[in-house]
Amino acid sequence: MKVMTIVGARPQFIKASVLSMVLAEDDTIEELLVNTGQHYDWNMASVFFTELGLREPFINLAIGSGPHGRQTGEMLVALEPVIEANAPDAVLVYGDTNSTLAGALAAAKLHVPIAHVEAGLRSFNKRMPEEINRILTDHCSQWLFAPTATARDNLLREGIAEEQVFQVGDIMLDVALTFGERAVRASNILERLQLTPGDYVLATIHRAENTDDAVRLSSLLAALERVAESMPVVLPLHPRTRTAIGRMPNGEALLKRLNIVEPLGFLDMLLLEKKAAVIATDSGGVQKEAFFHQVPCVTLRDETEWVELVELGWNRLVDPKDAKAVAASIRDAVGTSGVRSNPYGDGCTARSIKQVLLRAAQ
Ligand code: UD1
Ligand code: UDP
């Protein structure tokens, strides 16, 4: 079976690392990795290939940044001949970025069946580009790999046939289990940043809704500054956020007390997450990693797709426009824990996906 995996953004390199490794164990599967090049800085892309052993892409389309229509459109144009020339039996896409949608659309138009990893997630907020990407991708996929029962229910409610939906757990748990111990051995990030385990907040901000809106962004930074009065706050800065802060007249002043670092490699990030007192984030992946490491999390958004985390008490949502509430929520989260449960499966998601694909190939 020839599987063409299409990735392009940071979280996709991370998710693909483990599934690619598992697919490679089987002689009957040939995987071709296509990188759209949506993310291209060394610390947003190459570092993950090096650290996580992800195979070199068979082709890098080098599409880069741009407005949604142009970026997605250029990917479509570039992907079509690659899919045609290589005639894969399946195209595999992850998550909800523009690379996901372009990969799915290009494959669907060429009648190549699509496997969607992380299917069925919904924020019910169609102003998020990711929500549009995931709905459209789900509705042209053949195999929908849902990480949770909630995701599976969402798909069935939208009329997707039960036999196409596979609740296989969350691939990010496989990733955390595969690389967690290695991070502890290999990363010296705590020494480099002079941090004490259990005595700092790790924050990430990159969502369009938080970075494109100066009110929300300055409120979030003001809240982190407040927290930093009593505890170090580390903020690895996504390039989108750095640019947005650069546009704000008082941008630099909002970062005075924060420990700002460049985007981190995955092993450094995992260790920082593991040892944090609290994680404050608008990232999908980081919310779940907080839970995997049993670190309390504050989600800097109005809603989350990962509702189990809130229901179990590990995560709380806070309005990014309310700086006071954000700061209080982060401080209050220190030392808390939630209900122990396992909504994301047992860390064998990659193997379950491989089994489904192999069965389909017979
Ligand atoms: C994208 C995804 C988002 C995902 C995130 C993961 C879409 C619509 N959004 O958001 O769902 O959570 O990736 O990180 O696909 N930039 C650089 N260097 C890079 C990459 C980006 O400087 O290597 C800057 C560029 O100015 C670019 C901006 O970041 O315009 C945004 O990048 P883009 O890939 O469009 O969206 P993300 O915000 O990264
Ligand atoms: N991540 C990383 N370095 C960073 C920030 C995040 O390695 O500086 C990892 C993080 O641990 C998680 C993934 O990137 O595995 C999440 O990606 P991101 O927040 O960019 O996107 P999202 O998950 O929200 O789509």
Side-chain angles (χ1 to χ4, degrees), residues 10-11 14 48 172 206-207 236 263-266 269 273 283-286 289:
R10 170 167 71 187
I14 294 169
F48 301 105
M172 292 296 291
H206 79 279
R207 284 276 148 228
L264 293 167
F266 188 60
M269 187 66 184
E273 288 174 344
S283 158
V286 176
E289 285 165 345

Side-chain angles (χ1 to χ4, degrees), residues 174-344:
D174 292 37
V175 174
L177 293 173
T178 306
F179 294 104
E181 283 310 309
R182 196 185 302 176
V184 173
R185 285 196 309 272
S187 170
N188 60 1
I189 187 76
L190 296 185
E191 291 81 4
R192 273 171 21 233
L193 300 181
Q194 300 185 332
L195 295 167
T196 309
D199 189 35
Y200 62 90
V201 173
L202 172 65
T204 78
I205 304 171
H206 79 279
R207 284 276 148 228
E209 76 225 39
N210 283 335
T211 53
D212 294 358
D213 178 335
V215 173
R216 286 168 84 100
L217 185 55
S218 40
S219 158
L220 285 172
L221 295 173
L224 296 180
E225 283 277 311
R226 248 178 225 231
V227 174
E229 285 167 13
S230 52
M231 200 183 249
V233 176
V234 185
L235 178 63
L237 213 49
H238 190 287
R240 175 187 204 105
T241 317
R242 188 174 283 285
T243 308
I245 293 171
R247 279 196 303 261
M248 291 159 56
N250 60 342
E252 287 303 314
L254 287 168
L255 306 178
K256 267 197 325 264
R257 289 200 194 85
L258 305 182
N259 195 342
I260 302 289
V261 293
E262 291 297 313
L264 293 167
F266 188 60
L267 300 180
D268 283 344
M269 187 66 184
L270 270 192
L271 191 67
L272 268 188
E273 288 174 344
K274 262 179 188 280
K275 303 292 179 187
V278 175
I279 294 177
T281 187
D282 60 9
S283 158
V286 176
Q287 284 175 61
K288 278 175 300 160
E289 285 165 345
F291 171 71
F292 299 150
H293 306 310
Q294 312 271 277
V295 173
C297 183
V298 175
T299 290
L300 311 168
R301 286 182 49 194
D302 300 317
E303 74 278 307
T304 178
E305 300 76 23
W306 305 102
V307 289
E308 309 77 22
L309 299 176
V310 177
E311 283 157 12
L312 295 172
W314 289 97
N315 193 0
R316 59 286 283 151
L317 294 168
V318 62
D319 176 2
K321 292 191 299 308
D322 188 344
K324 229 170 153 182
V326 173
S329 186
I330 294 172
R331 286 201 190 109
D332 292 349
V334 176
T336 63
S337 60
V339 177
R340 285 178 204 272
S341 167
N342 209 8
Y344 300 108

